[in-house]
Amino acid sequence: MTQIIDGKAISAQIKDELKEKVTNMKKDDITLCLAVIQVGNDPASSVYVGNKKKACEYIGIESLAYELDENTTQDELLDLIHELNKRKDVNGILVQLPLPKHIDEDMIIRAIDPSKDVDGFHPQSVGALCIGQKGFVSCTPAGIIQLLKRSGIEIAGKECVIIGRSNIVGKPMSLLLLRENGTVTVAHSKTENLKEVAKRADILVVAVGRPKMITREYVKEGAVVIDVGIHRNENNKLCGDVDYDDVAPICSAITPVPGGVGPMTIAMLMNNCVESAHLNS
Ligand code: GUN
């Protein structure tokens, strides 16, 4: 029987653990506050930002929402980040991506104080992860490690193949699986014989951004399959990068879309906020 990895239930469990921690921190007068900045009104970003605010409310973290006009200049955004960096009452700063084209994303990410970088995107956070030092870890890959661990899936010694090499998912995922003693391969759009490479995996993490691309031809029987993609298909139904109906019967465990990796990203963001409050207090 294939194990369906329930990201909704696991993220709810993590959020409840965090809520309890936050209640105890408040007794010690430790306050938590996340600043969320959105520039423009991309509809998908508005949904994500709304969900982040709701999660903060549930856990007991104060959130400051900055909904800035599409025409906000890079200097105005930098000024706001510098102000939030200085504020002692703000533990975490998150700038929702993508930003409008006239703003240099890398420069904005570098402006955030690494001790408040709850997204884990700052080069210092990424560098720390790379050499096994403390720092914030990008939320989606951190959430995938939690999904695996809390589902009783062993990583150490296993063949892990990641398809996709983005800065937000693929690269940090490779470092985290390596940290857990997996044997890691990162495949991408230029990889030759992708099907054969993917078929080596005991744990296959798919973050390619193409709906239902991964069929059972890419999957070894008994593998664990983690699907990071989220798309709307021709019938307006959500689907992932993995052809779930084709792949699920042959693997040992799989994440559904929706309700797999997605809910974990916010849970790990909340976890980073709680850690940040510890760091800054
Ligand atoms: N846009 C899509 N995913 C993310 C994320 O995890 N963090 C931020 N800041 N922007 C995003």
Side-chain angles (χ1 to χ4, degrees), residues 193-209:
N193 307 321
L194 180 61
K195 285 180 186 162
E196 285 91 283
V197 174
K199 258 197 147 123
R200 293 208 301 257
D202 300 311
I203 299 173
L204 181 64
V205 179
V206 186
V208 282

Side-chain angles (χ1 to χ4, degrees), residues 78-93:
L78 285 170
D79 284 346
L80 173 59
I81 292 171
H82 293 144
E83 177 198 320
L84 294 168
N85 280 344
K86 279 192 226 136
R87 274 178 63 167
K88 292 234 179 326
D89 62 323
V90 172
N91 318 95
I93 303 170

Side-chain angles (χ1 to χ4, degrees), residues 45 48 52 94-98 119 121 139-140 168 265:
S45 290
Y48 292 137
K52 287 168 189 178
L94 181 150
V95 180
Q96 187 65 29
L97 303 179
D119 254 331
F121 294 168
C139 301
T140 300
I168 294 182
T265 301

Side-chain angles (χ1 to χ4, degrees), residues 40-259:
N41 38 26
D42 171 60
S45 290
S46 300
V47 172
Y48 292 137
V49 166
N51 289 339
K52 287 168 189 178
K53 283 193 261 182
K54 266 192 241 158
C56 281
E57 216 168 289
Y58 178 74
I59 289 167
I61 298 174
E62 195 193 328
S63 65
L64 298 176
Y66 294 89
E67 282 149 19
L68 307 182
D69 187 86
E70 177 83 24
N71 298 317
T72 301
T73 66
Q74 182 165 293
D75 283 344
E76 284 166 337
L77 181 55
L78 285 170
D79 284 346
L80 173 59
I81 292 171
H82 293 144
E83 177 198 320
L84 294 168
N85 280 344
K86 279 192 226 136
R87 274 178 63 167
K88 292 234 179 326
D89 62 323
V90 172
N91 318 95
I93 303 170
L94 181 150
V95 180
Q96 187 65 29
L97 303 179
L99 287 167
K101 297 239 173 327
H102 64 277
I103 299 180
D104 178 347
E105 261 177 27
D106 287 339
M107 182 182 276
I108 297 302
I109 290 169
R110 277 200 307 274
I112 297 171
D113 182 331
S115 74
K116 300 188 181 188
D117 173 37
V118 285
D119 254 331
F121 294 168
H122 191 285
Q124 186 174 314
S125 307
V126 180
L129 173 63
C130 194
I131 55 173
Q133 292 185 356
K134 273 200 168 158
F136 292 110
V137 176
S138 180
C139 301
T140 300
I144 292 170
I145 296 290
Q146 284 301 313
L147 280 182
L148 294 170
K149 287 190 169 174
R150 289 175 186 244
S151 303
I153 295 163
E154 177 86 26
I155 302 169
K158 295 289 186 286
E159 285 279 354
C160 306
V161 178
I162 302 152
I163 313 182
R165 55 176 159 181
S166 69
N167 290 342
I168 294 182
V169 182
K171 284 179 198 152
M173 189 76 254
S174 68
L175 295 165
L176 285 174
L177 288 166
L178 189 60
R179 189 160 92 180
E180 299 295 333
N181 301 311
T183 302
V184 181
T185 302
V186 182
H188 46 79
S189 55
K190 300 282 192 296
T191 297
E192 288 181 5
N193 307 321
L194 180 61
K195 285 180 186 162
E196 285 91 283
V197 174
K199 258 197 147 123
R200 293 208 301 257
D202 300 311
I203 299 173
L204 181 64
V205 179
V206 186
V208 282
R210 284 179 55 190
K212 294 194 184 182
M213 177 184 151
I214 301 303
T215 57
R216 62 171 68 191
E217 291 177 300
Y218 292 79
V219 181
K220 178 169 74 177
E221 192 149 352
V224 173
V225 177
I226 305 291
D227 188 353
V228 182
I230 186 151
H231 315 272
R232 285 212 181 263
N233 71 8
E234 55 288 354
N235 306 321
N236 210 30
K237 256 189 78 188
L238 291 173
C239 70
D241 290 348
V242 175
D243 185 340
Y244 184 90
D245 292 336
D246 189 49
V247 170
I250 67 152
C251 52
S252 62
I254 187 165
T255 57
V257 176

